[in-house]
Amino acid sequence: MDTEAVRSFVRAAELGQLQHAADELGVTQQAVSKRIAALERELEIRLFTRTARGVELTLDGQAFLPHARSIVTGVERAITAIRPNSRALRIDVLGFRSGQAVILHDYWRSHPGTDLDVVTLRAADPQVAVAAIQAGDIDASFRTITDPAALPRDVRMVHVLDFPLEFLAGPRHPLAAARTLTPAQLRGHRIWVPGIAPRCEWGVFYDQLATELDLRIDGAGPNFGVEVVLDTLADSADVATLVGNRDRLVWPAGYDLRRIPVVNPTIAYPLSLLFRATDPPPGLRGIIDYFRSLATLPEPVWRPFWTRRSAA
């Protein structure tokens, strides 16, 4: 089996676009298409269906994906085994459009000599990231363990940045014309955050946010991706959501969505970095310092309990 074809399949599955996979792999879209077509012929199944947005996995493709990831990981480990210290610094982010990925990209652009491999584990449970760090699959992860008792001694967690959240709504929402909003003004309005998974850090965050600030957080429905959320907001007069101020969101001009800062207090989502406690990769220090050098938030600020507890 052609391992480059398997690698192309994995990246296309994770990114949902053949062109994006080609850009990451440094080849043409036609090359990626040919590799995947050859893989489908060898397996005698269809791995993808094409949609208006790109490609989606078939049921067979979904079944093959975790095994394909194992193949790619095995090849990478084999190469690493014969090239000591050759692997790039591998950091897990929640998503390539997330604010953490945006800032990490800014760091990489300002430090062009940094050998960086940015990945996403596609797992809501932060313990998956902990296990990947312990196994050496990744060097660090922008995840948070909200219960310090659940953090193993061989993994360290440091707080690196607070993201202020913004209110995102369509033009027909009753708060759409506001320049800023307070949490008190959000009370009673439906804030839709679909697909909040058990044991995820943002589930803990939104539970506490709803309780302490008396907000209506609606986690109903599966998460079909940010595009579906944006589509829904554009057509709705009563649904809104909260997004990080650094999250990279793009929507059609006709949607006329509004990103409105939340103040008095600013709602802060704390960002932490997990990495091995002993002998961490030296390149992490510069990344941590870069994140911590960014502007602090104007007071007053609301933060969840684990940041208050670990403020020292």
Side-chain angles (χ1 to χ4, degrees), residues 4 32 50 54 64 69 81 83 103 126 165 170-171 224 258 276 293:
E4 287 306 309
V32 171
R50 291 185 176 272
F64 182 63
R69 283 190 175 125
R83 295 180 184 171
I103 296 176
L165 296 191
F224 284 102
R258 317 293 173 86
R276 62 179 181 265
S293 71

Side-chain angles (χ1 to χ4, degrees), residues 211-234:
T211 300
E212 293 195 2
L213 298 186
D214 192 23
L215 299 184
R216 181 186 170 196
I217 306 296
D218 180 6
N223 182 6
F224 284 102
V226 66
E227 289 83 3
V228 173
V229 174
L230 298 177
D231 292 346
T232 302
L233 298 184

Side-chain angles (χ1 to χ4, degrees), residues 47-285:
L47 296 170
F48 290 110
T49 57
R50 291 185 176 272
T51 70
R53 297 186 184 278
V55 291
E56 292 182 356
L57 289 167
T58 63
L59 291 177
D60 286 330
Q62 293 176 39
F64 182 63
L65 180 58
H67 304 289
R69 283 190 175 125
S70 296
I71 292 171
V72 172
T73 300
V75 170
E76 290 175 348
R77 286 178 175 171
I79 293 172
T80 301
I82 61 173
R83 295 180 184 171
N85 303 317
S86 65
R87 180 167 68 73
L89 182 64
R90 182 174 296 161
I91 299 181
D92 162 57
V93 296
L94 286 176
F96 294 116
R97 295 183 179 181
S98 66
Q100 54 193 237
V102 171
I103 296 176
L104 191 58
H105 181 237
D106 291 343
Y107 174 82
W108 178 79
R109 287 195 304 174
S110 62
H111 298 75
T114 304
D115 195 7
L116 194 60
D117 183 13
V118 182
V119 301
T120 178
L121 294 177
R122 306 283 184 181
D125 187 351
Q127 290 294 346
V128 174
V130 168
I133 291 169
Q134 291 174 314
D137 294 332
I138 60 175
D139 297 304
S141 174
F142 283 107
R143 311 280 177 137
T144 298
I145 303 296
T146 60
D147 179 5
L151 185 67
R153 290 186 177 182
D154 59 346
V155 176
R156 185 182 176 196
M157 182 176 74
V158 298
H159 175 240
V160 293
L161 183 66
D162 287 329
F163 281 116
L165 296 191
E166 296 177 332
F167 186 79
L168 180 64
R172 296 193 296 123
H173 194 281
L175 300 179
R179 299 187 65 179
T180 61
L181 291 166
T182 66
Q185 291 174 295
L186 304 185
R187 290 173 187 157
H189 293 279
R190 180 187 174 198
I191 299 173
W192 188 42
V193 187
I196 297 178
R199 298 184 299 278
C200 71
E201 63 188 77
W202 52 93
V204 178
F205 174 87
Y206 280 115
D207 281 347
Q208 188 183 1
L209 184 67
T211 300
E212 293 195 2
L213 298 186
D214 192 23
L215 299 184
R216 181 186 170 196
I217 306 296
D218 180 6
N223 182 6
F224 284 102
V226 66
E227 289 83 3
V228 173
V229 174
L230 298 177
D231 292 346
T232 302
L233 298 184
D235 293 334
S236 176
D238 60 2
V239 180
T241 194
L242 292 172
V243 297
N245 74 325
R246 294 274 194 145
D247 291 348
R248 183 185 289 117
L249 300 176
V250 180
W251 54 79
Y255 280 16
D256 194 22
L257 300 185
R258 317 293 173 86
R259 297 181 68 150
I260 306 171
V262 180
V263 298
N264 295 323
T266 300
I267 299 175
Y269 191 96
L271 182 65
S272 299
L273 188 68
L274 298 168
F275 53 92
R276 62 179 181 265
T278 58
D279 192 27
L284 280 181
R285 183 74 262 169

